[in-house]
Amino acid sequence: GRKLSRFPTDPRIARMLITAIEEDSLCEVLVIPAGLTIQDPRERPVEKRQAADEKHSVFKNENSDFLAYFNLWNWFQEQKRHLTRNKLRTLCKKNFISYLRMMEWEDIHKQLASQLKEMGHRTKPEAAEYAAIHRSLLTGLLGNIALKGDEREYLGARGKKLMIFPGSALRKKRPRWVMAAELVETSQLFARTAAKIEPEWIEDL
């Protein structure tokens, strides 16, 4: 509880970060929840939806929409190293990425990294395994898990019936167990930003 209270963010995100320290997945987990606190930087104008989806497809991961956030972050950081601010803005616009939201994402990332540094924790350059990253994220999302049912439907926690959001990379694969960053109700209940998980992770947590 004391550790959670030291983070200037949602306690669920703080919980993910604390677990990421134990899982050696802090580099990735520091980026992903920070990105989830802002409006999605990937823009999809109605009149250019197909073009935007094509540009964004390079960030997709077939098992995890969370890793698409990490891929987008890495792409932005790489471009930032080589381009002037104006050229970076232009490139973002061309790729249907909001430059302002990316900068907002960076600010949140810096705040969280600063707090972790104060607590004596730093990110490691080695890439973490899929399981370590997603177990860390799962600690803050245990209410957003779901099990595949009949046809396209999933059964969520507390008996909720839901479907994977149409824009998700998991929509066609439909893994048996998933977790989601949020559940959004429009025409029906959708799991947005989803990832494949293993049931034993849930039991352990």
Side-chain angles (χ1 to χ4, degrees), residues 116-136:
L116 284 161
K117 189 176 176 183
E118 264 185 46
M119 296 166 71
H121 303 291
R122 295 174 184 272
T123 59
K124 295 180 181 179
E126 299 88 3
E129 293 182 355
Y130 181 97
I133 296 166
H134 291 80
R135 279 196 301 262
S136 301

Side-chain angles (χ1 to χ4, degrees), residues 56-72:
H56 298 161
S57 65
V58 298
F59 307 122
K60 282 192 173 183
N61 179 288
E62 62 178 9
N63 291 316
S64 173
D65 297 331
F66 294 92
L67 290 181
Y69 272 87
F70 189 64
N71 294 338
L72 170 57

Side-chain angles (χ1 to χ4, degrees), residues 148-149 151-154 170-176:
K148 184 167 72 172
E151 299 183 0
R152 292 183 297 167
E153 201 169 67
Y154 276 78
L170 282 72
R171 177 76 168 186
K172 290 181 181 178
K173 290 191 72 174
R174 298 188 67 244
R176 182 166 169 77

Side-chain angles (χ1 to χ4, degrees), residues 10-60:
D10 186 311
R12 292 178 304 162
I13 291 174
R15 186 71 188 85
M16 293 175 193
L17 295 172
I18 290 168
T19 308
I21 294 166
E22 300 162 4
E23 291 275 5
D24 280 333
S25 60
L26 194 54
C27 178
E28 293 85 354
V29 178
L30 183 56
V31 167
I32 296 166
L36 294 173
T37 63
I38 63 166
Q39 189 177 340
D40 194 332
R42 294 164 293 187
E43 297 177 325
R44 295 179 77 232
V46 175
E47 69 281 5
K48 296 180 179 178
R49 191 165 287 174
Q50 187 175 346
D53 288 345
E54 285 175 9
K55 291 290 187 182
H56 298 161
S57 65
V58 298
F59 307 122
K60 282 192 173 183

